[in-house]
Amino acid sequence: MTIEHDILGANILIVDDQDVNVRLLSRLLAEAGYSRVASTMKPAEVCALHRRDNYDLILLDLQMPAMDGFSVMEALKTNEQESYLPVIVLTAQPGHKLRALQAGAKDFISKPFDLVEVKTRIHNMLEVRLLYRKLEAHNKDLERAVSERTAELRESEARYRSLTELASDWYWEQDDHGEFTKVSGPVMEMLGLRVGPLVAGSAPNRDDGWDLAERKALQDSIAARRPFLDFAFHRTNSDGSRQQFRVSGQPMFDQACRFVGYRGIGVEVTSGR
């Protein structure tokens, strides 16, 4: 379907206390091909009608007894489901045009009616209105897709952590400054409190038993933000026993492609003298 088809199928309400104006506008719109045109001569009914039928356009007379067009527009603003006021005001008073626009009307049509002007302003208004609705619907679809994708990623992340914790001796995460933000598994028993061997720039203790060349190679990979798989390193304990480890890690980036840290897994391969 084309935009022209959508425009001619738009839902329109005419609000005027003069029957002659209602009949004139209804006939004009019907002759132009508009197929969904309703009317009321009771301005107090407009809000209820709009909540029920959700009009694409309201042609609203400003000068009506009991409740004028300005009061109708104020009442329409209370509709929580409608942030856009789809109103063209009908007025014979030039001084009312600016006030009407300030009150939220999107356009105006002068009385007595110029039929060419009436058709042009209504068509243009509906084109903008329908494009606005399509954009609004697109944004909602996009928000829904982002929300669903975010939920999928969170679920995937939870599964990943669960599986890696089961498949490895420890799981770890670092922030962009190299500080550990998460360490799970028996890493404290395996490495004691010195999780620092994975942190770039940490000051090595020459008595901690770690191989300094291996540790530097691992630090260089992290500093360069390179992924690494099954990197082997070891330590010699004070009693002469030797522990062999393998660690894998990958850099993490946010949606703006900024580096936010590392995450990875580790496993003790052998332990013995």
Side-chain angles (χ1 to χ4, degrees):
M1 291 191 296
T2 65
I3 184 66
E4 192 66 24
H5 180 277
D6 292 339
I7 290 173
L8 294 178
N11 199 10
I12 302 173
L13 176 67
I14 301 170
V15 185
D16 199 310
D17 65 315
Q18 299 293 322
D19 181 63
V20 63
N21 290 333
V22 171
R23 286 188 286 109
L24 174 60
L25 290 170
S26 297
R27 186 173 69 251
L28 175 67
L29 291 172
E31 291 174 353
Y34 293 95
S35 58
R36 300 174 64 197
V37 181
S39 64
T40 180
M41 297 174 64
K42 299 177 181 179
E45 296 179 347
V46 174
C47 285
L49 290 172
H50 186 42
R51 279 195 296 270
R52 186 190 70 188
D53 297 327
N54 195 20
Y55 295 106
D56 297 302
L57 174 61
I58 299 174
L59 298 174
L60 177 64
D61 185 30
L62 286 181
Q63 293 180 294
M64 294 179 290
M67 186 177 189
D68 65 16
F70 294 105
S71 299
V72 173
M73 284 190 286
E74 286 302 314
L76 285 170
K77 291 178 183 178
T78 64
N79 185 0
E80 295 180 356
Q81 297 179 346
E82 179 64 78
S83 59
Y84 183 98
L85 204 60
V87 171
I88 292 180
V89 296
L90 312 173
T91 179
Q93 301 295 328
H96 285 169
K97 295 176 182 178
L98 178 58
R99 180 185 170 194
L101 294 174
Q102 292 172 336
K106 296 300 182 285
D107 203 351
F108 55 84
I109 294 174
S110 300
K111 291 182 178 180
F113 298 133
D114 179 312
L115 301 187
V116 175
E117 178 192 17
V118 171
K119 289 192 291 185
T120 302
R121 289 186 182 275
I122 288 174
H123 184 280
N124 291 346
M125 169 72 178
L126 284 171
E127 184 174 20
V128 172
R129 172 61 168 159
L130 294 175
L131 289 174
Y132 176 88
R133 280 196 163 172
K134 287 184 178 182
L135 178 61
E136 194 174 47
H138 174 74
N139 287 339
K140 287 181 179 179
D141 289 342
L142 185 60
E143 289 176 5
R144 189 181 305 112
V146 170
S147 178
E148 291 173 354
R149 181 56 178 158
T150 300
E152 290 174 0
L153 289 174
R154 287 175 177 170
E155 182 180 354
S156 177
E157 178 77 7
R159 289 199 304 269
Y160 171 81
R161 289 184 178 182
S162 176
L163 290 173
T164 54
E165 289 174 10
L166 289 173
S168 60
D169 290 326
W170 77 88
Y171 171 86
W172 57 275
E173 289 183 8
Q174 291 177 313
D175 61 20
D176 57 337
H177 299 296
E179 298 294 332
F180 279 87
T181 58
K182 179 177 177 64
V183 178
S184 64
V187 67
M188 296 306 176
E189 290 78 5
M190 294 170 60
L191 302 183
L193 296 178
R194 290 195 181 98
V195 290
L198 299 182
V199 184
S202 60
N205 184 339
R206 295 186 180 278
D207 298 325
D208 62 10
W210 295 103
D211 183 286
L212 297 183
E214 291 173 350
R215 176 155 56 184
K216 183 178 185 306
L218 182 56
Q219 289 175 349
D220 289 344
S221 291
I222 293 176
R225 299 175 184 174
R226 295 192 299 264
F228 48 90
L229 178 65
D230 288 337
F231 182 90
F233 66 111
H234 73 279
R235 69 180 300 178
T236 302
N237 299 315
S238 58
D239 62 359
S241 62
R242 181 183 175 89
Q243 289 177 288
Q244 184 78 25
F245 301 94
R246 289 188 180 274
V247 63
S248 300
Q250 65 177 16
M252 298 183 294
F253 301 88
D254 63 15
Q255 292 182 342
C257 297
R258 290 188 295 265
F259 174 72
V260 294
Y262 261 88
R263 68 180 176 189
I265 58 173
V267 61
E268 183 176 5
V269 182
T270 58
S271 177
R273 291 182 179 275

